[in-house]
């Protein structure tokens, strides 16, 4: 095989792979068109900054509250290094605390496995964005790259409840994310 033929084959393979993986390079903003930041806040534990959070949505209801039938995004920018294991463990712990489905160990094991695919070890400055897709589930982006899609609506509701449920561990952060009192 000539060098030119070999080069053309490599280029064709790269082109095909690029087309197949275009979704992997799509920014989360494509999933939430016309997104506006509703609120933001910082998560601190024992006085130490853990992450800065920003909450984005494209639609509000007539009274200015979040439209649960519209996609939204929760963007977390980490202030410190945290392992994937710790991120998954903390998320599972909060989902178990808030969700009525947590007695089903098979379901929780499946959700835990999904989070292991969605999350990565983070360092200060790294970003993970979760996007709620009504009727579909959730998408997780690391930086601008699509990391994992979870096609489970109940998982998505349980996961985002960590921040948005009125029973969240940090009601002040919830209020800031939803922009309560900032309009």
């Amino acid at each position: 095989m000539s060098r030119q033929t070999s080069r053309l084959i490599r280029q064709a393979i790269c082109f095909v792979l690029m087309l197949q993986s275009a979704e992997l390079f799509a920014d989360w903003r494509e999933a939430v068109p016309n997104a506006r930041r509703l609120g933001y806040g910082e998560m601190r534990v024992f006085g130490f900054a853990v992450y800065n959070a920003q909450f984005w949505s494209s639609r509000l209801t007539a009274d200015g509250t979040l439209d649960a039938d519209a996609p939204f995004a929760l963007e977390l920018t980490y202030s410190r290094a945290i392992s994937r294991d710790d991120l998954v463990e903390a998320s599972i712990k909060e989902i178990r605390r808030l969700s009525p489905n947590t007695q089903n160990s098979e379901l929780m094991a499946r959700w835990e496995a999904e989070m292991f695919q969605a999350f990565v070890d983070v360092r200060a400055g790294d970003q993970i964005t979760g996007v709620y897709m009504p009727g579909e589930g959730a998408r997780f982006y690391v930086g601008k790259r699509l990391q994992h899609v979870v096609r489970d609506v109940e998982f998505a509701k349980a996961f985002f409840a960590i921040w948005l449920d009125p029973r969240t561990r940090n009601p002040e952060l919830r209020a800031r994310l939803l922009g309560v009192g900032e309009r």
Side-chain angles (χ1 to χ4, degrees), residues 32-87:
V32 189
N34 304 312
R36 291 187 357 206
R37 186 174 76 175
L38 298 184
Y40 61 94
E42 182 179 54
M43 175 63 164
R44 298 182 77 80
V45 177
F46 301 118
F48 295 100
V50 178
Y51 57 76
N52 288 302
Q54 296 187 72
F55 189 72
W56 301 81
S57 182
S58 59
R59 284 196 335 226
L60 299 176
T61 62
D63 66 356
T65 59
L66 178 67
D67 182 347
D69 293 325
F72 60 74
L74 179 66
E75 183 180 71
L76 304 180
T77 304
Y78 290 87
S79 303
R80 59 182 57 257
I82 304 173
S83 72
R84 174 193 336 222
D85 291 345
D86 288 346
L87 292 173

Side-chain angles (χ1 to χ4, degrees), residues 30-180:
E30 292 179 20
V32 189
N34 304 312
R36 291 187 357 206
R37 186 174 76 175
L38 298 184
Y40 61 94
E42 182 179 54
M43 175 63 164
R44 298 182 77 80
V45 177
F46 301 118
F48 295 100
V50 178
Y51 57 76
N52 288 302
Q54 296 187 72
F55 189 72
W56 301 81
S57 182
S58 59
R59 284 196 335 226
L60 299 176
T61 62
D63 66 356
T65 59
L66 178 67
D67 182 347
D69 293 325
F72 60 74
L74 179 66
E75 183 180 71
L76 304 180
T77 304
Y78 290 87
S79 303
R80 59 182 57 257
I82 304 173
S83 72
R84 174 193 336 222
D85 291 345
D86 288 346
L87 292 173
V88 171
E89 181 182 337
S91 298
I92 287 290
K93 181 179 177 182
E94 286 305 296
I95 288 172
R96 283 188 186 281
R97 187 178 71 79
L98 294 168
S99 177
N101 296 326
T102 59
Q103 300 308 311
N104 182 334
S105 59
E106 183 179 309
L107 175 68
M108 293 308 291
R110 192 174 73 231
W111 287 2
E112 183 175 8
E114 294 282 12
M115 285 188 276
F116 269 107
Q117 293 180 67
F119 302 162
V120 297
D121 294 334
V122 295
R123 297 179 313 246
D126 287 350
Q127 243 176 21
I128 296 180
T129 304
V131 177
Y132 174 76
M133 302 298 295
E136 290 180 39
R139 297 179 187 174
F140 292 91
Y141 296 79
V142 174
K144 294 184 183 275
R145 183 179 59 84
L146 179 61
Q147 176 74 18
H148 186 61
V149 176
V150 180
R151 298 189 192 291
D152 184 332
V153 174
E154 291 308 310
F155 165 82
K157 290 176 183 177
F159 179 79
F160 289 106
I162 294 170
W163 293 271
L164 302 177
D165 190 285
R167 298 169 297 149
T168 182
R169 288 208 189 267
N170 194 330
E172 296 83 17
L173 178 59
R174 176 185 181 269
R176 290 190 56 84
L177 291 174
L178 294 175
V180 175

Side-chain angles (χ1 to χ4, degrees), residues 21-33:
S21 62
E23 185 181 60
L24 293 175
F25 298 105
D27 186 274
W28 67 262
R29 293 174 193 273
E30 292 179 20
V32 189

